[in-house]
Amino acid sequence: MSNGKRAFKPQLVLLGTCWALHGISNLLLVSVIVLSGHMIAENKAFAALPVALQWSGNAIMAAPASFYMRRFGRRVGFWTAGLIIGTGASLAILALYQGQFIWLCVGGFLIGTGNAFNWYYRFAAAEVVPDHYKSRAISFVLAGGVVAALIGPSLADFSKDLLAPINFAGAFAAMIVANAISATILLFIRIPQPQAEELRGGRPIGQIARQPAFIVAVVGGAAAYGVMVLMMSVTPLAMMLHKHTFSDATFVIQWHVLGMYVPSFFTGHLIRKLGTLNIMLVGTVMIVVCIVVGYDGTSLTHFWVALATLGVGWNFLFIGATTLLTETYSVSERAKTQAFNEAVIFTTVGVSTFFSGTLLHEVGWRAVNLAALPAIVIVASAILWLMVRGAGKPSNAGAEPRT
């Protein structure tokens, strides 16, 4: 390993560990929040509202989080995230003890606003490495999600009754602990502080957004995450409605998260060898396979194969889109470009999550699968369009060097 790699590798390991803890926290949330909503909501059609508000909070805070970290640095931003998430999880526990659905909604919203900061871990990874290593750095840090996949389901199963007789409250308590550990690890991470050139200049966001590569990156990221959450967020409830156990649901979610993050060990390498757009296109194909399998049946095997395939498709499409986005802005344009991208992605996610609960309640699991198809057709068409145009070279001539 070269001296350069020795310099930044420990930082990537620590960032990946924090991402793993974020993944554990999120997996705990996914495992219990819809079930918690279904348990205490008077109108069961609104069972997914807390998770929809979570993603809405993510969308609302996505842009402010970017500018906040531009001003105070990544580490302070991630500490702020842990504080907000801990507050939201505490309110969720209060909601379950009092049977107050409104507090679960508020708690979900706060957790989402905290999570908005944590999604910048992938950009932080790109900022501590040389340009040629960006795709691998993004993949390496996101690979920390494998730890979440291996630990999260067992922790969810163990912690859901930890504060018995109140079901699921213990899982929210475990979220608080995971974020506290992450905050401690952040003490040892050295992420470059914002420089003077980041606080001024650059092209207007409208000019940046007109780049074909930027358009495909944003559409790809929004479709990847919107479709993934549309299906994943209601999977535990869908499985319970089709007579599967909570352990079956956590098993399926575990394989879904493994599908999301195990490919990260080689996705960056594949992008360098085969090209960003080709990997993104493979991701859309994998998601179509997921939709076909999910539509075909509701056995444990159908849920398992569909959600695992969905995870792999998300990985290729989302990491590809993130890598493509980093090629479209300069140092001074980084905060506003990332803010715009995250706001679009998580607005899409919030809308798709809200409708997922309604679709499942009113029509059924097959309708949730069919609803995902148009977005994937759109993003696949956008990728092919960019390929025809000349494979996504950014039009930022004259801008400062990217980082």
Side-chain angles (χ1 to χ4, degrees), residues 24 88 94 96 138 154 205 211 233 267 269 313 336 361:
I24 290 171
L94 178 65
L96 291 170
I138 293 167
S154 297
I205 190 63
Q211 297 174 98
S233 62
T267 303
H269 179 74
K336 58 187 169 187
H361 181 77

Side-chain angles (χ1 to χ4, degrees), residues 210-218 220 276-278 280-281 320-321 324-325 328 378-395:
R210 287 195 293 271
Q211 297 174 98
F214 177 90
I215 294 169
V216 174
V218 174
T276 303
L277 297 180
N278 287 325
M280 291 176 68
L281 197 59
L324 185 61
L325 184 78
T328 66
I378 290 171
V379 72
S381 300
I383 294 167
L384 292 170
W385 167 72
L386 186 55
M387 286 177 167
V388 170
R389 285 185 59 96
K393 295 296 182 183
S395 58

Side-chain angles (χ1 to χ4, degrees), residues 142-211:
L142 291 183
V146 174
V147 177
L150 295 174
I151 296 176
S154 297
L155 185 58
D157 204 23
F158 167 77
S159 64
K160 67 182 176 66
D161 298 321
L162 201 59
L163 299 180
I166 306 301
N167 291 334
F168 309 126
F172 289 104
M175 287 178 58
I176 297 172
V177 174
N179 280 276
I181 295 172
S182 180
T184 304
I185 293 172
L186 283 165
L187 290 169
F188 304 97
I189 298 179
R190 297 291 179 263
I191 306 172
Q193 288 296 306
Q195 302 299 312
E197 62 266 25
E198 294 186 54
L199 304 177
R200 64 177 187 273
R203 297 164 295 167
I205 190 63
Q207 184 179 345
I208 298 169
R210 287 195 293 271
Q211 297 174 98

Side-chain angles (χ1 to χ4, degrees), residues 16-357:
T17 302
C18 288
W19 178 257
L21 289 162
H22 166 67
I24 290 171
S25 177
N26 262 357
L27 201 149
L28 288 165
L29 183 71
V30 168
S31 297
V32 301
I33 191 167
V34 175
L35 296 173
S36 298
H38 191 264
M39 182 175 69
I40 65 177
E42 292 185 10
N43 187 339
K44 304 306 180 185
F46 291 106
L49 181 58
V51 75
L53 288 170
Q54 173 217 337
W55 290 112
S56 298
N58 206 322
I60 291 169
M61 187 54 69
S66 182
F67 293 112
Y68 180 88
M69 286 190 283
R70 182 181 71 173
R71 176 66 180 83
F72 297 106
R74 297 292 191 196
R75 182 163 54 177
V76 172
F78 297 142
W79 274 334
T80 302
L83 180 62
I84 298 173
I85 292 170
T87 302
S90 298
L91 287 177
I93 294 171
L94 178 65
L96 291 170
Y97 269 91
Q98 295 186 347
Q100 295 292 322
F101 184 66
I102 184 64
W103 288 118
L104 185 64
C105 291
V106 174
F109 179 81
L110 286 177
I111 291 169
T113 60
N115 281 342
F117 289 87
N118 286 332
W119 278 105
Y120 287 92
Y121 272 113
R122 71 191 198 278
F123 292 118
E127 292 159 17
V128 300
V129 300
D131 282 352
H132 70 274
Y133 206 82
K134 281 182 180 179
S135 62
R136 283 178 285 179
I138 293 167
S139 293
F140 183 87
V141 168
L142 291 183
V146 174
V147 177
L150 295 174
I151 296 176
S154 297
L155 185 58
D157 204 23
F158 167 77
S159 64
K160 67 182 176 66
D161 298 321
L162 201 59
L163 299 180
I166 306 301
N167 291 334
F168 309 126
F172 289 104
M175 287 178 58
I176 297 172
V177 174
N179 280 276
I181 295 172
S182 180
T184 304
I185 293 172
L186 283 165
L187 290 169
F188 304 97
I189 298 179
R190 297 291 179 263
I191 306 172
Q193 288 296 306
Q195 302 299 312
E197 62 266 25
E198 294 186 54
L199 304 177
R200 64 177 187 273
R203 297 164 295 167
I205 190 63
Q207 184 179 345
I208 298 169
R210 287 195 293 271
Q211 297 174 98
F214 177 90
I215 294 169
V216 174
V218 174
V219 170
Y225 227 104
V227 167
M228 189 273 287
V229 172
L230 174 74
M231 301 182 68
M232 179 268 292
S233 62
V234 294
T235 292
L237 181 55
M239 293 186 67
M240 298 289 277
L241 293 175
H242 286 94
K243 311 305 181 185
H244 298 289
T245 66
F246 181 81
S247 294
D248 289 338
T250 56
F251 167 79
V252 167
I253 293 298
Q254 179 180 43
W255 276 92
H256 168 67
V257 178
L258 285 170
M260 288 175 66
Y261 295 120
V262 167
S264 294
F265 290 110
F266 52 82
T267 303
H269 179 74
L270 289 176
I271 287 173
R272 284 182 58 81
K273 291 294 184 181
L274 303 178
T276 303
L277 297 180
N278 287 325
I279 296 304
M280 291 176 68
L281 197 59
V282 172
T284 65
V285 172
M286 297 294 289
I287 295 174
V288 170
V289 171
C290 155
I291 293 169
V292 171
V293 174
Y295 184 84
D296 185 59
T298 57
S299 70
L300 178 59
T301 300
H302 282 93
F303 279 109
W304 172 44
V305 174
L307 268 292
T309 307
L310 176 64
V312 176
W314 174 88
N315 181 280
F316 286 172
L317 185 54
F318 190 70
I319 291 179
T322 300
T323 302
L324 185 61
L325 184 78
T326 64
E327 298 300 320
T328 66
Y329 55 78
S330 66
V331 173
S332 61
E333 298 161 354
R334 179 164 62 196
K336 58 187 169 187
T337 306
Q338 293 175 359
F340 185 92
N341 178 71
E342 301 298 276
V344 171
I345 288 175
F346 292 112
T347 298
T348 303
V349 168
V351 172
S352 67
T353 307
F354 177 77
F355 283 108
S356 68

